[in-house]
């Protein structure tokens, strides 16, 4: 079962942090930075962490045929962003 990643922010000091928690875990309330009881979940897009070797780790890695070719990579179209730069710009915990 995937574990959601929740975004928290302290209303007292502004400290923000993403926390990997089970859905059944109680929400955090104490800010780890200032100790105030104003640490609350933020409303964000759903996030979760996939683990194991399921379809997401094995499929869609290479070309659309499912086979990867290390000998002759196809050139990337000019309109695509650089593959070394993730969509989030590297500012999240996933990279």
């Amino acid at each position: 079962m995937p574990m959601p990643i929740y975004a928290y922010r302290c209303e007292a000091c502004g400290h923000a942090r993403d926390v990997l928690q089970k859905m059944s875990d109680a929400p955090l309330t104490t800010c780890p930075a200032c100790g105030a009881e104003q640490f609350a979940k933020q409303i964000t897009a759903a996030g979760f962490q996939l683990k194991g070797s399921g379809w997401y780790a094995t499929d869609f890695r290479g070309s659309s045929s499912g086979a990867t070719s290390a000998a002759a990579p196809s050139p990337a179209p000019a309109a695509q962003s650089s593959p070394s730069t993730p969509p989030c710009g590297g500012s999240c915990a996933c990279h």
Side-chain angles (χ1 to χ4, degrees):
M1 179 173 182
M3 287 181 57
I5 300 170
Y6 294 105
Y8 281 85
R9 185 175 183 279
C10 178
E11 297 299 323
C13 71
H15 176 75
R17 179 178 176 187
D18 290 340
V19 179
L20 183 67
Q21 287 183 294
K22 293 180 183 178
M23 287 187 210
S24 60
D25 287 347
L28 302 176
T29 57
T30 305
C31 176
C34 71
E37 291 294 322
Q38 295 183 18
F39 203 50
K41 282 184 186 179
Q42 301 295 294
I43 297 174
T44 61
F48 58 93
Q49 182 177 14
L50 298 173
K51 293 185 176 185
S53 59
W55 63 268
Y56 52 86
T58 57
D59 295 352
F60 309 114
R61 280 197 170 179
S63 64
S64 61
S65 66
T68 57
S69 173
S74 61
Q80 285 186 332
S81 64
S82 170
S84 62
T85 305
C88 64
S91 62
C92 68
C94 66
H95 294 95

